Amino acid sequence: MEAPWRQGGRGRGRGRPGDGLAARAGAAARPPAPRARGGARAAAAGTADEGASGEYRVLCPLPGELSSLKKFDEIKKANQAAAKKLVEDHLSSSSEDDDEDAEVKQGKILDKTFTIYTSQTDGDASELERTRQYMNEAFQSGAMTCLICIASVKRNQAVWSCCGCFCIFHLVCIQKWAKDSLFLVSSPLTDDDFGKKDYPWPCPKCRFEYKRSETPSRYYCYCGKVENPTVDPWLVPHSCGQICEREFKPSCGHKCLLLCHPGPCPPCPKMVTTTCHCKKAKPVPRRCSAKEWSCRLPCGRTLLCGQHTCENPCHAGDCQPCPRVSKQRCICGRQTAERLCASPQWQCDQVCRKRLPCGNHTCEQVCHAGPCGDCPRSGKRSCPCGKTKFTLPCTEDVPTCGDSCDKVLECGIHKCSQRCHRGPCEICRQEVEKQCRCGKHTKRMPCHKPYLCETKCTKIRDCQKHQCRRKCCSGNCPPCDQVCGRTLGCRNHKCPSGCHRGSCNPCPETVDVKCNCGTTVIKVPCGRERTIKPPKCKQLCSRPPTCHHSTQEKHYCHFGRCPPCRQPCQKTLTCGHLCPVSCHDEALVRQTGSHQSAGPWEQPSEPAFIQTALPCPPCEVPIPVYVLKKEKKFYVSPLPCHSANPYSCKRYCGRLLDCQNHTCMKECHHVTKLNSSAHAKKAGPECSQCEEECTKPRPSGCPHRCVLPCHPGDCPSCLQMLKIKCHCKLSVLYVECLKLTCADLKEKEHLISCKNQCPKELPCGHRCKEICHSGSCRLNCNQKVKLRCLCKRLKKEIQCSKIQEGQVSLECDALCKEMKRKASEIKEAEAKAAIEEEKRRQQAELEAFENRLKGRRKNKRRKDEVEVEQSLWQKYKNFIMLPVFGVAVVMV
């Protein structure tokens, strides 16, 4: 589908009467339109003032001209549509006027609207703030938004305003909303009810209900006097410019004095004479909107209790209940309690218990007023089924009549078949053919049991989206209980209502759109914050300057970067002068990239600019210049400061450098004299620095070079570390070169020692006890060892060196010899006992063998019990051996 402006351009041009010849002549005289874009645009721009239908008719176009003319016509139509849209945007209320004149014009319109009202209030406009807010929104960009279509309300569009919330909608949108709302309300009704009831439709924002007859059909101004008000740039948008004259709410008999305006009318400014609430004070003149006032004196009206008066200050409406407490009797008069004076009647919890007129029973009512009444058992009484009546004394119970009960049971169909009885009837137990609630199934079952089938209802609920899915549904499906959850027009929230038909209600939320500093705020409907422009703020920009200046130029609050600083730079140059050009800390520089086009068909891209700090330009202050020649100055004509340098004679400088060893090899240059008494040939700060290494001789024994560059005087001491091994060759030591080279033999012996025990082993097998030393170890071992006698009982600690020399030996004593003798005797006695034992065992085996050879019967054979008598050694050997071994262990 093509655009409307392009559809209207097809076919022949239909100009106004009388313009055909001119059009033909112009088309014949005009050369063919060029094919390039620039030429087409130029041709379209050159004919922009022609009529909307002023296309050119070519009687006999050439084959090459047909495509050019068609392209020209299309571009012409596009330019006309763009111009028309530009005019509409210029007249709309959402267009942003960047001019200061637009704000002055807006202020004049507001003052003109409030003139009559402020003349009644002596210039006091404090009550107009709410109305002023609505009027400011009518002027601000995008503040007036239709909540139905979430689009801006323009100045030249037909609108409708709600009388409840004063929200403004497009007339077409509110008509469609009312039509859809009435259809959704009336669609569930039957055909008989359709059109008989006048169902209301609600406001999309405040839900204020309107009748069907109140559906807007025409476009009126705010006060409703003028239909289709004209677009006047000197009036409030959609206003007729006449006095409002709407009745104030609440009604006071006066009318609004403002010019036709959006939003609610302000409070009534008229002056009336009125008295206070209690009518005690004299009438005073007050504003009609605040005519009710209080004199703050005690009210004094009699309260409902009839005993006290109201002590509250003068107030509106009825007096409050009496707050005092008094002693009051209950209704029956038996109990007394302290209660609020405002509630004098109360009941206690005691039963009456008064004797009834029958004289047999008592009253069972709780705390009542008046007589107790007759006995409830007196007069004619019916039997339990109610068919027979009896006249009996109140002391006797009514008997049963013997007839069938015939009361209708709980099912409501059958009757009780029992005889007249007391108490409730039983449940209905008759079997009937029951139909389920949905009517699809039948079943024979007891009458008192309900019958529900398992079939789920497949009908669509009133939302027209979800099935009922209720078991055995009767057809009257309940409303859908699911949440709608559709995304609203704002695209930020979801519909929280129950699932429904038609479009969802507009999002009721509002969003604050702030300026950059947050001082100026406008409220817009949710969803418009992404397309609305931020409000213009009159506060000065508070951002710190991004350049080197302490303050920046004054400008209003804004988004994005601050405008470039145009203050003088005033930086101090190297020559001492101040930079006079404008600030160039954030200058726009064209970025030169290395992008190469892929071919001649690729369009060249626009050059990119970046912000960067540029250096200050060279100083242009004129300075007189002199020539250096044989240490004399000859002045010449002034030159710019950046190029004003003394001339040189092109010879070597030759001044003695600070190292006192070399001279300056620079070309003749200016030297600053730091001290007038210094030597003339001494190097200055402008001379070169000596970069040679120190070549002075080092101390004897030091293998290192001087760490300093070429310098005057003696070299510093060598502080480098030497890496050497200790005497025992196990540890690596780091010793300062200066200490090692300057030390004597004793100090070197001490420096090279690792201060640990010598790891070498002596001939005796022990380790050397001396600290790390040079040479061989000494042979006198001081290690103590244990020396034992031959029987290992005696021991003694002696130095290892004496044992090696053979000077000491340890002999056994008399106790050792005695123990040896006793031990040999014990061994001999054990040997004799063992021999005797072996003889006895052999004798017993011989006797057993002989008994087996005698041929005795097995059943009469007995087991021989041989009793072997133990010897004395076997009996008492434990008592002898234990003490002997104990003494031996102690002596060892």
Side-chain angles (χ1 to χ4, degrees), residues 325-380:
V325 178
S326 60
K327 290 186 178 181
Q328 299 176 5
R329 288 183 174 274
C330 64
I331 297 176
C332 64
R334 294 183 180 181
Q335 294 185 3
T336 303
E338 289 187 356
R339 297 180 58 83
L340 291 174
C341 189
S343 57
Q345 293 187 354
W346 64 284
Q347 279 185 318
C348 64
D349 55 354
Q350 294 186 7
V351 182
C352 181
R353 301 295 183 186
K354 290 183 181 178
R355 184 70 63 179
L356 297 176
C358 65
N360 297 321
H361 302 95
T362 57
C363 179
E364 299 296 333
Q365 298 182 24
V366 177
C367 188
H368 64 89
C372 297
D374 298 332
C375 180
R377 297 169 63 90
S378 62
K380 290 185 177 182

Side-chain angles (χ1 to χ4, degrees), residues 764-785:
C764 62
H766 297 120
R767 185 178 175 181
C768 180
K769 296 294 184 179
E770 296 184 3
I771 303 300
C772 178
H773 58 88
S774 60
S776 59
C777 300
R778 291 185 294 179
L779 297 180
N780 56 340
C781 180
N782 296 326
Q783 181 74 26
K784 289 187 177 183
V785 295

Side-chain angles (χ1 to χ4, degrees), residues 569 571 573 579 581 584 614-618:
C569 179
K571 283 185 179 179
L573 303 176
C579 181
V581 299
H584 45 81
L614 297 178
C616 294

